[in-house]
């Protein structure tokens, strides 16, 4: 690990605060840095890099009622607007800002940070996925973007977000479901538990419709998915399942598969389980290939 990597790793596990440079401050300076400033609500604007665009009416109205009663208790994170002098761009807290407008609040507390576009997007993504009111697909897409756009591994995310690695891996797998099932998750007619059960179904879309129509429980969905899985698969279904499994793996696992395949000259698959467990499968076509693999393993064991 290089010296430039060290600060990044040490910040992980502190969530949004870690991204905002608060890790090395003593309590007194941290209090000064966190002190909020009151600004006119009309001087705040939605971020150009805000990853979330859906705000439900019921949730906004409920939050507005709370703000009318108790005020805005949590400051909004902002940065200086790049194009409007004396205005601010919202990094985290757009929902609170929208609800405050409904509550006819004129001044709201903000905390100002100097962030680049990339830092602003990362902070907004982390803030979103740490919240409890995202649907499962919004959460999974947030994890995907943090991995693809900022190079985080699943272990990094587990520390950064405060979730377990199996939770992140299982949530990411939901992105492999058919679009119709994902729409049901967005509409909350299916739960994340239902969706995880559907991942093992032969036809997730058809079973998903059945779950919604019949109001099936997660346990009933798991049973039906398991019964369907016992039916022998066609070659096309096997190929589709393999593509889905490959798509659900993170970049680290795929890289290990590629490296092992290059060393052995054979097809290699890694099947991840919960936690740190998994299965390594090496495919061979002849006994000579198998004998070569065994010799390599024996040689490695003697080193």
């Amino acid at each position: 690990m290089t010296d430039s990597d060290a600060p990044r790793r040490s910040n992980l596990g502190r969530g949004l605060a870690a991204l905002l440079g608060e890790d090395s401050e003593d309590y007194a300076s941290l209090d000064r840095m966190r002190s909020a400033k009151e600004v006119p609500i009309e001087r705040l604007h939605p971020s150009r890099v805000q990853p979330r665009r859906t705000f439900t009416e019921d949730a906004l109205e409920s939050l507005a009622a709370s703000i009318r009663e108790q005020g805005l208790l949590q400051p909004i994170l902002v940065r200086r607007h790049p194009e409007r002098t004396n205005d601010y761009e919202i990094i985290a807290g757009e929902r609170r800002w929208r609800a405050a407008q409904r509550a006819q609040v004129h001044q709201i507390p903000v905390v100002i940070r100097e962030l680049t576009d990339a830092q602003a997007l990362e902070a907004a993504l982390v803030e979103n996925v740490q919240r409890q009111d995202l649907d499962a697909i919004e959460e999974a897409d947030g994890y995907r973007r943090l991995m693809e756009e900022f190079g985080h591994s699943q272990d990094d995310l587990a520390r950064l977000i405060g979730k377990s690695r199996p939770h992140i891996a299982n949530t990411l797998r939901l992105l492999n479901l058919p679009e119709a099932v994902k729409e049901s998750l967005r509409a909350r007619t299916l739960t994340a538990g239902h969706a995880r059960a559907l991942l093992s179904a032969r036809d997730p879309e058809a079973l998903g419709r059945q779950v919604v129509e019949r109001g099936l429980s997660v346990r009933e969905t798991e049973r039906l998915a398991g019964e369907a899985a016992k039916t022998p698969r066609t070659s096309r279904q096997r190929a589709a399942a393999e593509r889905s499994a490959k798509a659900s793996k993170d970049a680290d696992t795929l890289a290990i598969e590629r490296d092992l395949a290059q060393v052995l000259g054979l097809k290699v698959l890694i099947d991840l389980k919960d936690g740190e467990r998994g299965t390594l499968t090496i495919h061979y076509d002849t006994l000579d290939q198998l004998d070569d693999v065994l010799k390599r393993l024996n040689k490695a064991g003697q080193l």
Side-chain angles (χ1 to χ4, degrees):
M1 181 172 67
T2 66
D3 290 341
S4 60
D5 290 332
R8 176 70 168 184
R9 293 293 180 183
S10 64
N11 278 342
L12 293 175
R14 293 291 304 280
L16 191 58
L19 294 174
L20 304 178
E22 300 177 356
D23 206 45
S24 61
E25 301 289 336
D26 61 26
Y27 288 116
S29 59
L30 189 59
D31 285 341
R32 289 195 298 272
M33 185 168 60
R34 282 176 172 167
S35 61
K37 171 184 178 180
E38 294 275 342
V39 300
I41 196 168
E42 64 270 15
R43 287 175 55 187
L44 271 61
H45 307 275
S47 173
R48 299 165 299 160
V49 298
Q50 167 62 256
R52 182 169 187 172
R53 298 299 179 189
T54 303
F55 301 89
T56 62
E57 288 295 317
D58 289 346
L60 282 175
E61 194 53 50
S62 175
L63 183 55
S66 174
I67 292 173
R68 291 188 197 101
E69 183 70 22
Q70 301 184 34
L72 189 59
L73 301 179
Q74 183 179 2
I76 292 174
L77 177 66
V78 302
R79 65 173 178 170
R80 294 283 179 181
H81 199 286
E83 299 171 358
R84 303 186 185 192
T85 305
N86 298 325
D87 283 10
Y88 301 94
E89 189 176 53
I90 299 170
I91 301 305
E94 183 176 340
R95 190 175 68 120
R96 278 169 275 149
W97 172 71
R98 290 176 179 270
Q101 289 178 306
R102 294 187 177 210
Q104 298 185 338
V105 172
H106 301 294
Q107 297 267 340
I108 58 177
V110 301
V111 174
I112 305 169
R113 294 286 181 271
E114 297 301 325
L115 301 174
T116 64
D117 282 353
Q119 290 170 329
L121 174 58
E122 185 175 20
L125 283 167
V126 171
E127 194 266 351
N128 273 328
V129 297
Q130 284 180 325
R131 287 169 46 185
Q132 301 299 313
D133 62 343
L134 295 179
D135 66 57
I137 296 303
E138 286 177 323
E139 182 182 356
D141 196 55
Y143 295 154
R144 178 191 61 77
R145 292 187 65 183
L146 284 167
M147 293 175 68
E148 291 181 357
E149 298 178 33
F150 299 98
H152 291 302
S153 68
Q154 290 186 14
D155 286 330
D156 290 340
L157 287 184
R159 291 187 289 269
L160 183 64
I161 306 300
K163 304 278 189 179
S164 70
R165 187 185 182 283
H167 171 84
I168 290 172
N170 289 331
T171 302
L172 283 166
R173 292 175 63 212
L174 301 182
L175 296 175
N176 299 319
L177 288 165
E179 191 58 37
V181 177
K182 288 192 280 190
E183 283 300 322
S184 294
L185 278 169
R186 294 186 184 102
R188 302 182 189 269
T189 54
L190 285 176
T191 68
H194 286 110
R196 286 191 290 270
L198 292 174
L199 283 166
S200 61
R202 189 62 47 80
D203 188 342
E205 187 171 343
L207 182 54
R209 285 195 301 268
Q210 187 177 356
V211 170
V212 174
E213 292 169 0
R214 295 173 54 187
L216 299 179
S217 67
V218 173
R219 186 177 295 275
E220 289 170 326
T221 305
E222 290 172 341
R223 178 178 57 79
L224 290 175
E227 290 175 355
K230 295 177 182 178
T231 306
R233 295 184 176 186
T234 66
S235 59
R236 178 178 296 181
Q237 289 170 332
R238 285 194 298 271
E242 186 174 316
R243 287 194 299 271
S244 176
K246 183 176 181 180
S248 67
K249 296 174 184 174
D250 61 35
D252 292 340
T253 304
L254 291 173
I256 294 173
E257 283 185 347
R258 287 193 299 270
D259 290 345
L260 284 174
Q262 289 176 357
V263 171
L264 298 175
L266 299 172
K267 181 179 179 181
V268 175
L269 293 176
I270 297 175
D271 181 20
L272 296 174
K273 307 295 184 185
D274 289 343
E276 300 296 326
R277 298 181 299 113
T279 303
L280 171 66
T281 304
I282 301 173
H283 295 261
Y284 64 90
D285 297 318
T286 67
L287 291 177
D288 287 340
Q289 290 177 337
L290 175 60
D291 186 56
D292 181 60
V293 171
L294 294 175
K295 287 178 179 178
R296 288 169 180 262
L297 291 174
N298 286 332
K299 183 178 179 180
Q302 295 170 2
L303 295 179

